[in-house]
Amino acid sequence: HLVRIGDHEVRDMILHMIDLDPEKRYSADEYLTFYKTKIFPDYFYDFLHQYMLDLTDPSSGQKPVILDSANFGEPDDKIDRIHFDFDKISYFLGYNKANDAHNTTEPISSQSSLHSRRTSSTMSRLKSSPEPHSDDGTLLFLTVVVASLRNTAKASARLKACELLVLFAGRLPDEAKLDRILPYIIGLLSDRSDIVKAAALRSMTQLLSEVQVVSPINAYVFPEYIFPRLKQFVLSTSTSPSVLIRAAYASCLASLAQSSARILDCVQAIKADGRLPSLSNNDWAQESTYHGLFDVARVDLMLHFEEATKALITDPDPSVRRAFLGSVSTLCVFFGSSKASDLILSHLNTYLNDRDWILRCSFFEALVGVAAYVGSMNLRRFILPLMIQSLTDPESFVVDRVLKSLARMAA
């Protein structure tokens, strides 16, 4: 079994540890000294060992969980401490040293940004690294967070865990993102707290937006794993999610559509390379058209987002529709000019009749991006008449937004 260990230093250390002659074996301190820099990196001695010892000290968290107590249990305390010390952790693990390049990645949207300004700045530092480092101790901290996540008592601890999962994901390869982080975020989509569900949805969206390559085992992560769990976030006869959750889903829809299309392209490349199991047509379920040809698979994928778009664009709550407007221009690119005109433009003009003037302002702000994809004919026939008509809107903020949007279109 030892031949399966790729690192020869680790293999030699284990062989030495199980030597039949006890006189030849070292003590634990001697092993740590002898294999310093060979197996154990410098940060293990300078920071990680003592930090983990303090973090997992069994003397902490022994108090009972009492509602009016400052200590709500050991799992919450661990997550709170890692979250509070994240800047120190990132410094000692070398995140800053490894990320000197400037990051050009744009956030998902202003409405779906993560939970704090510190998160955005830290994500910029982490994602600027050209290659994720597998030996910088990130997995050790990630293991502590996910092990504590299931037993948390406070929603605030789960919110911080969502933030930490995304931050640590910036230091891990794509396979680890999908195998070791995504399942825990998916579990939070069924949390009893709406704010945790919304945070988990945004965290999942951010995580998937960073995935560029999938392994064969994760090829169908969207149709078989993610899509069934997203159906609960739109209004239907069987589901009634809160406004907060529907608004979060609306703001994340465009990024999820882009991620699913990118992973579909990767799946097709894997199939062409021959690394997926070759199965006959009889082995697939009849409804599993996602496994078919690329065009058929893309149509099947788009049906999921068409249904979500129809539900969110006609949502009765104006705040959900405002959140959806942030995804409109990207969804126009995803659906294409013809389908975007039929699916999105035909419903957007009803926003002008809404009493919420903020929704009308948001509509004209998003209309500039829509106009770039629906074509000049639709621009003359639908968009410009709506804008001219709205110059007589009783709300001055709406008129101001119309004029600014006209100027941007003419520029």
Side-chain angles (χ1 to χ4, degrees):
H1 296 290
L2 292 178
V3 296
R4 299 179 182 178
I5 300 176
D7 193 319
H8 70 90
E9 295 285 2
V10 176
R11 190 166 58 246
D12 293 342
M13 184 183 69
I14 295 175
L15 285 172
H16 197 276
M17 286 178 170
I18 61 176
D19 195 290
L20 296 179
D21 186 359
E23 297 297 330
K24 294 182 179 180
R25 303 176 202 157
Y26 295 158
S27 65
D29 288 337
E30 290 174 330
Y31 278 115
L32 289 173
T33 302
F34 184 80
Y35 286 100
K36 184 177 182 179
T37 69
K38 297 179 180 179
I39 296 178
F40 305 106
D42 290 334
Y43 64 78
F44 183 84
Y45 303 86
D46 301 336
F47 166 71
L48 187 64
H49 181 266
Q50 185 61 43
Y51 189 90
M52 284 295 181
L53 181 63
D54 296 340
L55 188 66
T56 58
D57 184 3
S59 63
S60 65
Q62 292 297 318
K63 298 179 181 179
V65 177
I66 304 174
L67 293 180
D68 59 352
S69 173
N71 189 335
F72 274 72
E74 185 178 357
D76 301 79
D77 292 341
K78 290 180 180 179
I79 292 176
D80 288 342
R81 179 170 177 182
I82 294 176
H83 185 271
F84 182 80
D85 293 340
F86 185 81
D87 288 338
K88 180 172 69 174
I89 293 170
S90 63
Y91 173 79
F92 280 104
L93 296 187
Y95 290 3
N96 299 334
K97 297 177 183 178
N99 298 299
D100 296 329
H102 178 67
N103 176 52
T104 58
T105 305
E106 296 292 334
I108 298 172
S109 72
S110 59
Q111 295 176 341
S112 63
S113 59
L114 291 176
H115 317 298
S116 66
R117 185 176 300 178
R118 189 189 75 167
T119 306
S120 301
S121 62
T122 310
M123 283 297 296
S124 299
R125 298 199 306 268
L126 297 186
K127 291 192 293 184
S128 61
S129 177
E131 290 287 340
H133 296 271
S134 60
D135 59 347
D136 60 5
T138 300
L139 283 175
L140 296 175
F141 283 96
L142 178 65
T143 302
V144 175
V145 173
V146 298
S148 304
L149 183 58
R150 294 175 181 266
N151 300 315
T152 53
K154 297 181 291 186
S156 61
R158 294 191 289 278
L159 290 175
K160 293 175 182 177
C162 286
E163 185 177 345
L164 288 171
L165 290 178
V166 177
L167 290 173
F168 286 135
R171 301 292 299 181
L172 297 175
D174 290 343
E175 186 174 3
K177 291 184 179 76
L178 296 176
D179 292 343
R180 307 191 66 163
I181 296 180
L182 182 61
Y184 294 95
I185 296 179
I186 290 289
L188 292 177
L189 295 179
S190 303
D191 195 88
R192 59 183 178 272
S193 172
D194 285 346
I195 192 172
V196 174
K197 289 181 182 178
L201 183 58
R202 291 178 178 130
S203 298
M204 181 187 70
T205 304
Q206 181 71 46
L207 181 75
L208 292 171
S209 69
E210 300 172 15
V211 175
Q212 302 297 325
V213 179
V214 294
S215 58
I217 196 171
N218 293 318
Y220 310 121
V221 62
F222 262 95
E224 296 180 355
Y225 191 47
I226 296 177
F227 284 155
R229 288 158 178 83
L230 293 179
K231 292 181 179 179
Q232 61 176 316
F233 297 138
V234 295
L235 284 175
S236 65
T237 55
S238 58
T239 59
S240 181
S242 67
V243 174
L244 175 64
I245 297 175
R246 301 202 309 270
Y249 186 31
S251 64
C252 296
L253 190 65
S255 181
L256 289 171
Q258 286 183 319
S259 299
S260 64
R262 183 175 61 254
I263 290 178
L264 173 62
D265 293 338
C266 184
V267 169
Q268 298 303 318
I270 293 175
K271 282 185 176 181
D273 196 41
R275 278 178 281 183
L276 279 182
S278 57
L279 300 176
S280 63
N281 293 332
N282 295 331
D283 293 327
W284 299 114
Q286 294 182 358
E287 65 272 16
S288 298
T289 55
Y290 193 91
H291 305 287
L293 299 175
F294 176 81
D295 293 337
V296 179
R298 184 168 178 82
V299 169
D300 190 33
L301 180 148
M302 291 180 67
L303 286 176
H304 291 275
F305 289 100
E306 285 184 27
E307 295 174 359
T309 299
K310 291 177 182 177
L312 294 171
I313 202 173
T314 58
D315 194 278
D317 193 280
S319 60
V320 177
R321 283 176 280 161
R322 287 202 306 268
F324 176 79
L325 285 171
S327 301
V328 163
S329 59
T330 305
L331 286 174
C332 287
V333 179
F334 176 76
F335 288 123
S337 177
S338 177
K339 189 174 289 293
S341 178
D342 297 336
L343 182 63
I344 296 178
L345 193 61
S346 60
H347 291 90
L348 283 183
N349 56 8
T350 61
Y351 286 19
L352 294 179
N353 302 323
D354 197 275
R355 296 180 180 179
D356 188 347
W357 65 269
I358 302 178
L359 176 63
R360 300 199 298 275
C361 283
S362 301
F363 166 76
F364 287 110
E365 186 175 357
L367 204 58
V368 178
V370 176
Y373 302 106
V374 296
S376 58
M377 182 178 296
N378 287 323
L379 176 64
R380 293 193 300 268
R381 292 177 57 186
F382 299 108
I383 295 179
L384 286 180
L386 290 176
M387 301 183 76
I388 295 174
Q389 176 187 348
S390 297
L391 289 174
T392 59
D393 193 282
E395 179 56 57
S396 59
F397 287 103
V398 177
V399 177
D400 176 72
R401 178 52 60 187
V402 172
L403 293 174
K404 289 180 178 179
S405 297
L406 282 171
R408 289 174 61 190
M409 289 181 184

